[in-house]
Amino acid sequence: MIKYQVRSKELIDVVNEIKSRRLIMSPYFQRNLVWRQIHKIDFIKTILLGYPFPQIFIAKGSIDLNTMSTTSCIVDGQQRMNAIIEYVKGEFKVEGKTFGELDPNIKEAFLKYQVPIIDLDINNDAPEIIEIFQRLNRTFYSLSAIEKLSTEYAPSEFMLLAKLLTNEIKFNKDDEDDDIDIPLQFDPTIPNSFIEWSKSVKVKHYNELILNEGIFTPYELTRQVHLMFTLNILATFTGDFYNRNEFVTRYLNEYSESYEKKNLALECLERAANKILKLKLKKKSYWLNKANAFSLISLFAKNIDVVEKLDEKSLKEKLDNFENNTPADYKLAAKEAVNNKRERLLRNQYLKSILLE
């Protein structure tokens, strides 16, 4: 039986705990932020009106005997606290005003709002904490397949590489962070060896391509669709084409402790993404829909030494010409059943023939 205490705390104290990193707002088992602006505004109105909202669950964490301090983490309530942090930082308006534009009395009342808290007497790295989080969230957004895999296979080196490539985990604090800083994800299951390795490599181009080129909608990014996409890219690079996601779980298990190809995979994907970025494709380009992007990245990564020697202007002209005269079978393979092995192979064969041969 897990012991817990019910209490309340002034909002300003909770914000300061997050700012000082004594309270981790995005622990490793939390899903990405899925609240939209309308949800955040409505929630802030609740506080401004002085109405209550459900408790925030916090795992108290273990004591650091050297610093004589504890690092707690939010088990449930990340969305609400993120909305508060963003509002205090002035990132959105409520009733036409940012937090900084409020009347001093209203601002003081907001900061003194009593946040309801349930303190769980459990370490933030205890295995039970994931089940508590999932049980608390069953009545809200249902977890997608990738969100389940992300939690279940969190320590797998194959998963860790995919998360590093998609910016789902970070290990270096940005020196230019804002005054109120949201702590980076805290995951006690990540081996120190992987953390040290990640600091010796650089992920830039793949990150840029996946997050900023319009392949995924903002909502898809919050639901980690790009993470499943990257796991499939890695699985295809490691093996060959297959149906849907069937090799992903296999490799998550097979490379749970060590993924020997991680250096090679990271290098080839970075180089492939860099080559695609150099093509300067337009936003919403035909080649930046998920199916075609998957095929381009997979083809370039597996043939990167050849691809890098090709002229970008010529490559782009070939893609443009192919788009203007797309064969019916390719068009269908890029639109329907796009994750089937047959469709993936067909797209790869066409692109290989027009770009590399």
Side-chain angles (χ1 to χ4, degrees):
M1 182 73 71
I2 295 174
K3 296 180 180 179
Y4 62 89
Q5 291 182 337
V6 181
R7 64 186 173 103
S8 64
K9 204 167 192 176
E10 286 190 351
L11 184 146
I12 189 173
D13 292 329
V14 182
V15 168
N16 283 329
E17 285 184 9
I18 292 172
K19 181 179 177 181
S20 66
R21 295 177 172 264
R22 285 176 289 138
L23 178 60
I24 301 295
M25 200 172 72
S26 300
Y28 66 101
F29 52 83
Q30 284 269 24
R31 71 189 68 197
N32 282 12
L33 302 178
V34 295
W35 269 16
R36 299 184 182 183
Q37 199 78 337
I38 189 172
H39 300 135
K40 297 175 185 178
I41 291 171
D42 191 54
F43 173 68
I44 295 300
K45 283 182 182 178
T46 298
I47 300 176
L48 290 171
L49 290 169
Y51 296 160
F53 64 75
Q55 298 102 329
I56 297 215
F57 286 72
I58 294 177
K60 295 172 71 173
S62 54
I63 299 175
D64 185 325
L65 297 178
N66 293 322
T67 62
M68 291 186 290
S69 62
T70 60
T71 301
S72 305
C73 74
I74 295 175
V75 179
D76 187 64
Q78 179 195 19
Q79 316 277 5
R80 283 166 280 165
M81 287 311 305
N82 179 68
I84 290 170
I85 293 292
E86 288 186 357
Y87 181 61
V88 170
K89 289 169 68 174
E91 292 186 9
F92 63 91
K93 295 182 177 183
V94 177
E95 302 287 359
K97 292 183 178 181
T98 63
F99 176 73
E101 295 169 339
L102 293 176
D103 178 272
N105 292 329
I106 298 175
K107 192 183 294 185
E108 183 177 351
F110 183 86
L111 294 174
K112 287 186 175 181
Y113 180 92
Q114 295 294 312
V115 178
I117 292 173
I118 291 184
D119 276 322
L120 302 169
D121 190 11
I122 183 173
N123 287 348
N124 48 31
D125 58 352
E128 298 92 336
I129 203 168
I130 296 175
E131 184 179 353
I132 293 171
F133 167 70
Q134 291 175 343
R135 284 183 175 276
L136 287 170
N137 281 271
R138 277 178 186 165
T139 56
F140 295 95
Y141 295 96
S142 59
L143 290 172
S144 65
I146 180 56
E147 287 171 320
K148 291 175 183 176
L149 286 175
S150 179
T151 300
E152 183 180 354
Y153 290 97
S156 170
E157 189 161 89
F158 196 75
M159 175 65 81
L160 291 172
L161 177 58
K163 287 185 174 181
L164 186 67
L165 283 163
T166 54
N167 211 30
E168 290 287 295
I169 51 174
K170 300 177 183 178
F171 302 108
N172 295 309
K173 183 178 179 296
D174 186 351
D175 293 330
E176 298 180 0
D177 279 353
D178 290 331
D179 194 33
I180 297 178
D181 178 49
I182 299 174
L184 303 178
Q185 292 191 345
F186 172 81
D187 186 348
T189 67
I190 299 178
N192 287 331
S193 58
F194 186 85
I195 295 174
E196 291 306 311
W197 173 80
S198 73
K199 291 178 179 178
S200 69
V201 297
K202 188 174 183 179
V203 180
K204 177 183 178 183
H205 305 302
Y206 187 87
N207 220 242
E208 173 73 18
L209 178 62
I210 293 300
L211 298 180
N212 300 326
E213 292 301 304
I215 298 173
F216 302 94
T217 67
Y219 180 72
E220 285 174 330
L221 291 173
T222 65
R223 299 312 297 268
Q224 297 185 306
V225 176
H226 62 312
L227 178 58
M228 179 60 89
F229 177 92
T230 299
L231 284 167
N232 277 303
I233 289 281
L234 282 172
T236 303
F237 179 84
T238 304
D240 208 338
F241 293 102
Y242 52 89
N243 278 314
R244 303 191 68 80
N245 307 319
E246 66 181 18
F247 277 17
V248 168
T249 305
R250 168 182 158 183
Y251 288 142
L252 285 170
N253 283 307
E254 188 173 336
Y255 302 119
S256 59
E257 293 187 8
S258 177
Y259 176 47
E260 298 86 355
K261 286 187 175 181
K262 66 177 181 289
N263 282 298
L264 178 64
L266 178 64
E267 178 191 350
C268 291
L269 287 179
E270 270 288 279
R271 290 164 66 188
N274 186 37
K275 192 68 172 180
I276 294 172
L277 289 170
K278 286 181 177 179
L279 299 179
K280 299 188 186 315
L281 300 170
K282 294 179 181 179
K283 296 289 184 181
K284 297 186 179 180
S285 163
Y286 181 63
W287 301 108
L288 291 178
N289 72 33
K290 287 188 283 294
N292 288 327
F294 176 89
S295 294
L296 273 181
I297 297 170
S298 296
L299 178 68
F300 281 23
K302 279 186 174 262
N303 301 275
I304 191 59
D305 289 334
V306 174
V307 171
E308 280 190 330
K309 295 175 183 177
L310 301 177
D311 177 65
E312 285 93 21
K313 184 179 179 182
S314 176
L315 277 176
K316 189 171 184 302
E317 285 178 357
K318 289 178 181 180
L319 288 174
D320 288 341
N321 290 335
F322 186 74
E323 181 182 353
N324 293 329
N325 302 279
T326 311
D329 55 347
Y330 184 97
K331 193 175 291 186
L332 193 64
K335 186 177 181 182
E336 297 181 12
V338 297
N339 294 323
N340 287 346
K341 180 178 180 179
R342 177 180 176 277
E343 279 66 24
R344 284 173 171 169
L345 274 170
L346 187 146
R347 296 197 307 269
N348 180 72
Q349 289 163 359
Y350 265 113
L351 292 175
K352 189 173 183 179
S353 67
I354 66 167
L355 298 179
L356 305 187
E357 296 175 2

